[in-house]
Amino acid sequence: AQSVAQPEDQVNVAEGNPLTVKCTYSVSGNPYLFWYVQYPNRGLQFLLKYITGDNLVKGSYGFEAEFNKSQTSFHLKKPSALVSDSALYFCAVRDINNNDMRFGAGTRLTVKP
Amino acid sequence: DAGVTQSPTHLIKTRGQQVTLRCSPKSGHDTVSWYQQALGQGPQFIFQYYEEEERQRGNFPDRFSGHQFPNYSSELNVNALLLGDSALYLCASSSSTDTQYFGPGTRLTVL
């Protein structure tokens, strides 16, 4: 069965600095990988996905993620953080042959002015 | 273009009662998935509906059931509510197995 680990409960960065939110996955087949963001009392908002092809995926709001098959990682990155990026970030994985999408426990990102 | 909508926004029930939550998918989407998000946790997959059939189910008891209508909207029913069913229930829609887009959720509190 597929699973996702987000090793950091919380990430703190200063505004303008680069940010990284880590994610590692486990899946038996080829993975579909996703990043979602959740603001307080809201649903999840899609940021980006990796299906196949280029290992560097660009998404919404300046976010990008790098798929690393050998390290089974899919870390979320942004070159310059904004205070408005402060939110809860979820990594998710789905096996190509499975509709059950598994989410990590989430990482709370705080960007300080 | 309206996104995924869910109703009601909030709901308070007592143990043993039954509840029905509703979801309207994004225009053009034919697949609806339901998730339970307990406080401080990531969403957990309940089941997915496609062509009015349950296509896949997560590790949830039979107290959780669903339905999809011909217009692709969906309902989630939970019977014999337990305190542990208190959570944010999220609906996501997609075009078959493509990217899932989430609604704002229904906050269920069981007293």
Side-chain angles (χ1 to χ4, degrees):
Chain A
Q2 59 265 32
S3 65
V4 168
Q6 294 182 243
E8 300 157 317
D9 292 336
Q10 176 121 12
V11 170
N12 298 312
V13 298
E15 187 175 29
N17 282 1
L19 71 86
T20 299
V21 183
K22 295 180 180 177
C23 171
T24 58
Y25 68 90
S26 173
V27 67
S28 55
N30 291 323
Y32 288 177
L33 292 156
F34 304 83
W35 276 101
Y36 287 86
V37 60
Q38 187 174 37
Y39 294 97
N41 301 312
R42 302 288 297 276
L44 274 66
Q45 195 172 323
F46 171 72
L47 282 178
L48 53 80
K49 67 181 178 183
Y50 171 84
I51 302 296
T52 186
D54 201 353
N55 289 345
L56 185 62
V57 178
K58 293 190 183 296
S60 306
Y61 314 116
F63 284 95
E64 58 188 30
E66 187 166 10
F67 171 66
N68 188 317
K69 188 173 182 178
S70 63
Q71 296 186 2
T72 61
S73 67
F74 189 57
H75 301 331
L76 181 70
K77 299 183 180 185
K78 187 173 182 181
S80 179
L82 300 173
V83 172
S84 57
D85 293 331
S86 299
L88 192 53
Y89 289 80
F90 289 99
C91 181
V93 66
R94 180 166 71 80
D95 185 285
I96 190 172
N97 296 313
N98 197 320
N99 297 308
D100 176 355
M101 190 156 66
R102 298 293 176 95
F103 285 82
T107 297
R108 184 164 301 282
L109 172 68
T110 301
V111 182
K112 298 184 178 178
Chain B
D1 175 30
V4 180
T5 60
Q6 292 187 243
S7 64
T9 306
H10 294 90
L11 206 50
I12 299 175
K13 292 286 187 178
T14 57
R15 281 178 295 174
Q17 284 190 311
Q18 178 264 341
V19 68
T20 297
L21 311 182
R22 295 176 176 82
C23 172
S24 291
K26 189 175 166 65
S27 177
H29 287 181
D30 57 9
T31 302
V32 173
S33 304
W34 286 92
Y35 293 81
Q36 181 194 66
Q37 185 179 18
L39 201 61
Q41 297 182 24
Q44 290 194 48
F45 176 75
I46 303 174
F47 42 53
Q48 184 179 86
Y49 276 83
Y50 173 69
E51 292 188 342
E52 302 180 51
E53 298 280 336
E54 183 182 290
R55 178 154 69 179
Q56 188 157 356
R57 189 180 184 90
N59 189 25
F60 277 80
D62 292 344
R63 298 187 297 110
F64 289 77
S65 63
H67 188 78
Q68 186 179 35
F69 299 93
N71 67 353
Y72 307 119
S73 67
S74 177
E75 289 182 348
L76 164 66
N77 300 292
V78 187
N79 293 324
L81 285 167
L82 304 173
L83 294 178
D85 295 331
S86 295
L88 181 67
Y89 287 85
L90 296 165
C91 166
S93 75
S94 59
S95 178
S96 191
T97 57
D98 204 351
T99 303
Q100 295 183 16
Y101 292 87
F102 285 79
T106 294
R107 173 74 62 189
L108 172 64
T109 301
V110 182
L111 301 176

